[in-house]
Structures are given as C-alpha cells and as structure tokens.
Amino acid sequence: MHRKTQFTFTELAQRINPVVRGWMQYFGAFCRSALYPLLQRINAYLLRWVRRKYKRLRAFKKAHRCWKRVIRQYPRLFAHWAWMPDVW
C-alpha cells in the first residue's frame, strides 16, 4: 500500500475501505479489541504512504502534522477511523 504513490487519498480510501470494513464486520463481532493493533498498523502504512508521496513531508514531524490535519478535515475518509477515537 505505501508504494502506491500514484493514487490520491480518496482513491486509496476507495481501494482499502471495502476490505477493512469487511474485517471490521467479521472479526469485530468476535473480539473487537484484537483488531486495534491491525488498525494501528494500517495507520502506520498510511503515514508511510504520505511520507513517500509528498517529498516535503519526509520528516516525521511534518508528516504527523499533515496527518492530524487530514484526520480533522476528513474524519470518515477511511473506514477504520470510525473505531479509533484518537487515531494517533
């Protein structure tokens, strides 16, 4: 996922949301708390994607500020953000 830098945020969300939403529906019925590490790992990959796509955000602090701004502007862009209140 983090190597697909030709996509935009919305295109990336359209590609991974159905898969993640399916995992959340299926595994969330049994043990919701076991999914949290996986969802955090998806966020780590997304942050890595941001750092690769936008050269000016290579530094972690700059990328993290951008990440928080995106989360604040588009809180429902990715399906798993609905379950994670602080999303980093």
Side-chain angles (χ1 to χ4, degrees):
M1 174 173 58
H2 60 276
R3 294 185 182 260
K4 305 278 186 199
T5 57
Q6 71 269 20
F7 298 128
T8 62
F9 262 119
T10 54
E11 291 171 343
L12 195 61
Q14 288 172 353
R15 288 180 143 248
I16 70 167
N17 275 347
V19 175
V20 173
R21 198 173 290 120
W23 290 344
M24 290 167 56
Q25 288 175 351
Y26 182 75
F27 293 110
F30 302 109
C31 190
R32 187 174 184 164
S33 62
L35 275 177
Y36 289 135
L38 173 68
L39 301 180
Q40 288 174 343
R41 187 67 181 163
I42 293 171
N43 281 338
Y45 276 110
L46 288 172
L47 186 61
R48 191 179 305 168
W49 176 84
V50 166
R51 292 176 72 189
R52 282 182 187 258
K53 180 165 178 79
Y54 302 104
K55 305 282 189 223
R56 68 182 186 278
L57 298 176
R58 289 284 168 106
F60 182 80
K61 286 184 180 182
K62 286 183 180 181
H64 196 257
R65 271 186 262 139
C66 173
W67 181 256
K68 287 188 177 253
R69 188 175 61 247
V70 168
I71 290 171
R72 195 171 47 251
Q73 289 176 349
Y74 308 104
R76 301 288 182 202
L77 183 61
F78 290 96
H80 66 284
W81 288 356
W83 279 15
M84 303 185 74
D86 54 354
V87 195
W88 276 5

